[in-house]
Amino acid sequence: MFDRRTFAACCVLAVPYVACYAQSTYSSDQYFDDRWYITPFGTYINADSNRHVDNGWGGGLAIGKPISPSWNIELRTQYEQLDGKSNGPFSGDKLKIWSGSLDAQWFFMGRQGFRLWQSNSIQPYLVGGIGAIDDKVDGLLINKSKTGFMANAGAGIVWPFSTWGRLVGDIRYRYDDNSTSSALVNQGHAHDWLFTVGLQIPFGPPPVVAQARPAAPPAAMPPPPPPPPQAKRDFELKADGTFAFAKSDLTPAGRSRIDSTLQELKSSGIRLRGISIVGHTDPIGSLAFNQRLSVARANSVRDYLVAQGVPANIIQTEGRGPSELKITEAECKAQGKAKNHTALIACFEPNRRVEIHATGEQPN
């Protein structure tokens, strides 16, 4: 019974892994940290009264990997040593428990957690898993062990406070299928509650958001006649109003601004040969967050231009984050515009922008 039950549950848990394993690249709005990790952890065990032991502590190690923006798979092993109750059949004895399980974690709010676009957001998850558990009573009158099926389910949170570490905490219900019947004690299946805190340590450097692919070079052709005079037009879209704060989705006002830019280009008569779109942010927030946001905003403008009929193969996008500030914090302070955080955000408004550089030929 144990083997069949374990095999069936493993097949169910493997479904999200197999479905998502082939995914190797992600758009900027689906970015997540897919590195392998280990998690050493400590656990407080609220033991089932049926075990006749005191509550106590244990610990273990988990090895896992995120396999999609919503799923983690973990292999987890844990050891516990609990003292027998002084007024019970295990008085003076030790209950030693080894367990191992295959767990699946579902991040039902995605990796963005409670705050969209924030890499250090708290990420809640639900967890469930199955495995094997070995219960060993080590005492003077009773010295025996039994291995059987176990299952656990619960909920927790992950706080990625740094690129090298994440704080993890969860609460789990554990079902222990072992039971014991003897002249000294009669134990049924156990139902324990586990309270766990651990430090999750990823391996290697974090992944980066891929840049948009540049346009493919044109096929070799005979030398064309001298082209008409070159023309260039530069436009700047203020991010405030074009996008919601700290997001990359275009607002109705943002689409209207791009429509006006397109109309101005059409009125100029330029035959477009290339468009470069560069996203910029202010320095508020982490460098990694601002870099991803600048790329995502440039890509949003590109997608809207393509939807309006601009050929995709003449457009290139780039994100420069806060590397090219128009006004610095020191300048804001010198102008008396950084008295509080709200005033500083307003002073940094010129930094939050998307630049459009259009080149082409101007007919004679």
Side-chain angles (χ1 to χ4, degrees), residues 285-323:
S286 71
L287 181 60
F289 160 67
N290 283 322
Q291 177 62 28
R292 291 196 302 270
L293 180 59
S294 65
V295 172
R297 285 180 168 177
N299 288 343
S300 292
V301 175
R302 175 202 60 196
D303 294 343
Y304 185 79
L305 289 176
V306 172
Q308 302 308 305
V310 178
N313 65 340
I314 70 170
I315 302 176
Q316 292 186 347
T317 60
E318 180 183 2
R320 298 181 183 174
S323 63

Side-chain angles (χ1 to χ4, degrees), residues 6-335:
T6 302
F7 177 75
C10 284
C11 291
V12 172
L13 285 172
V15 169
Y17 181 82
V18 173
C20 300
Y21 185 76
Q23 185 177 11
S24 58
T25 58
Y26 304 91
S27 59
S28 58
D29 59 345
Q30 290 291 301
Y31 174 88
F32 72 101
D33 191 339
D34 62 353
R35 291 177 290 172
W36 285 90
Y37 61 81
I38 60 170
T39 306
F41 60 86
T43 302
Y44 180 76
I45 302 94
N46 188 328
D48 190 336
S49 60
N50 194 37
R51 291 188 183 276
H52 305 292
V53 295
D54 293 326
N55 299 337
W57 294 89
L61 183 71
I63 302 175
K65 188 181 191 305
I67 59 173
S68 83
S70 299
W71 288 95
N72 280 16
I73 293 293
E74 280 191 357
L75 288 172
R76 180 184 181 98
T77 183
Q78 181 170 317
Y79 174 74
E80 308 147 35
Q81 181 171 297
L82 307 176
D83 296 326
K85 289 185 177 293
S86 59
N87 59 351
F90 297 146
S91 177
D93 297 343
K94 303 287 186 182
L95 175 60
K96 300 177 180 180
I97 302 175
W98 277 101
S99 62
S101 63
L102 173 65
D103 298 342
Q105 297 175 341
W106 176 41
F107 291 81
F108 52 88
M109 297 181 69
R111 307 292 169 168
Q112 295 166 337
F114 291 112
R115 289 179 296 169
L116 190 64
W117 281 107
Q118 294 290 328
S119 61
N120 59 346
S121 173
I122 291 177
Q123 303 164 3
Y125 64 87
L126 301 179
V127 62
I130 54 91
I133 188 167
D134 180 79
D135 301 320
K136 180 179 180 181
V137 178
D138 189 358
L140 295 176
L141 298 178
I142 302 177
N143 195 326
K144 61 184 297 185
S145 67
K146 188 172 184 180
T147 301
F149 172 81
M150 64 153 284
N152 70 85
I157 58 172
V158 174
W159 175 38
F161 60 86
S162 172
T163 58
W164 63 264
R166 312 172 188 129
L167 187 64
V168 182
D170 61 40
I171 302 173
R172 304 188 187 207
Y173 159 79
R174 181 177 67 190
Y175 169 75
D176 183 346
D177 197 44
N178 288 330
S179 61
T180 300
S181 180
S182 68
L184 295 176
V185 64
N186 184 18
Q187 288 183 294
H189 307 307
H191 307 272
D192 306 315
W193 286 95
L194 311 180
F195 303 86
T196 300
V197 176
L199 177 63
Q200 195 172 98
I201 305 171
F203 297 118
V208 297
V209 179
Q211 300 291 322
R213 293 183 177 180
M221 298 177 62
Q230 292 291 314
K232 183 178 180 181
R233 294 289 187 276
D234 296 324
F235 305 88
E236 183 178 295
L237 301 176
K238 294 182 178 180
D240 292 5
T242 300
F243 309 94
F245 186 75
K247 294 184 179 181
S248 63
D249 297 327
L250 286 169
T251 64
R255 289 189 287 270
S256 177
R257 292 174 183 177
I258 299 174
D259 288 339
S260 298
T261 300
L262 279 174
Q263 185 59 44
E264 186 174 344
L265 279 172
K266 291 178 181 178
S267 300
S268 69
I270 294 177
R271 290 196 290 266
L272 289 175
R273 291 292 181 263
I275 295 178
S276 173
I277 304 172
V278 183
H280 301 269
T281 67
D282 62 29
I284 297 175
S286 71
L287 181 60
F289 160 67
N290 283 322
Q291 177 62 28
R292 291 196 302 270
L293 180 59
S294 65
V295 172
R297 285 180 168 177
N299 288 343
S300 292
V301 175
R302 175 202 60 196
D303 294 343
Y304 185 79
L305 289 176
V306 172
Q308 302 308 305
V310 178
N313 65 340
I314 70 170
I315 302 176
Q316 292 186 347
T317 60
E318 180 183 2
R320 298 181 183 174
S323 63
E324 296 180 6
L325 299 178
K326 287 194 170 185
I327 185 168
T328 66
E329 184 174 356
E331 291 171 334
C332 288
K333 290 180 178 179
Q335 297 172 15

